[in-house]
Amino acid sequence: MGDLGWEPVRDLVRADRRGALVTVVAGQGLGAKLLVTPDAVEGSLGDPALDEEATRIALELLPGEEAAVRELDGREVFFDVYAPQPRLLIVGAVDFAAALARLARFTGFKVSVIDARERFATTERIPDADEVVVAWPQEYLAEHPPDDATYAAVLTHE
């Protein structure tokens, strides 16, 4: 069993990415850790078959963002799920965008406002947005693809 260490978990949290830290909390291999993200697995619980089963369960738990304890092969295994901060994309810096950004930020969203019109897409008009971007929506989305923690509101001037 390789020691996973805390650096990969720290990096996951700092990057605001989704993942699960799987730890043996009772039974053989006590303390062994496995870090599972949608695209990678690091560490080991000490048995390739156990790693495979734990990875499958972790990937099932990720979308629900809930921790769990499971018994696997005579061991008690804790799945600690990390989820990114939800993100709201507001497309269209119209008058209602400022109020929506304020409400979304208050409820825990990271808010991005995207509009190709420089005159409207300003931090002065929408001070509660984490970022105000002057760009066409399709260009912004090509560089910042949405994930399962992304929500969108498309606001028009009519």
Side-chain angles (χ1 to χ4, degrees), residues 20-141:
L21 180 63
V22 183
T23 307
V24 176
V25 294
Q28 183 181 351
L30 181 66
K33 295 182 183 335
L34 185 71
L35 181 63
V36 179
T37 65
D39 49 285
V41 177
E42 292 182 58
S44 177
L45 300 179
D47 174 8
L50 181 62
D51 290 348
E52 187 176 320
E53 179 69 7
T55 298
R56 183 188 63 73
I57 293 169
L59 290 172
E60 289 174 4
L61 292 171
L62 288 181
E65 301 178 3
E66 290 187 34
V69 175
R70 297 283 198 286
E71 179 150 341
L72 301 176
D73 195 30
R75 300 169 175 101
E76 200 167 305
V77 181
F78 176 57
F79 296 81
D80 191 10
V81 176
Y82 295 87
Q85 180 180 10
R87 184 171 73 146
L88 176 63
L89 301 178
I90 300 174
V91 179
V94 298
D95 292 336
F96 294 112
L100 181 56
R102 184 177 310 111
L103 178 64
R105 189 166 192 185
F106 177 75
T107 56
F109 283 83
K110 180 178 179 184
V111 180
S112 299
V113 177
I114 301 95
D115 197 309
R117 302 169 299 169
E118 288 182 42
R119 183 171 147 210
F120 295 102
T122 66
T123 54
E124 291 78 24
R125 289 190 72 238
I126 310 167
D128 290 305
D130 292 287
E131 68 175 343
V132 178
V133 180
V134 177
W136 289 101
Q138 67 272 21
E139 293 169 2
Y140 177 86
L141 291 171

Side-chain angles (χ1 to χ4, degrees), residues 3-19:
D3 184 21
L4 181 64
W6 289 106
E7 291 82 12
V9 177
R10 179 201 61 207
D11 295 344
L12 177 84
V13 172
R14 284 184 177 168
D16 206 23
R17 294 181 51 229
R18 185 176 305 279

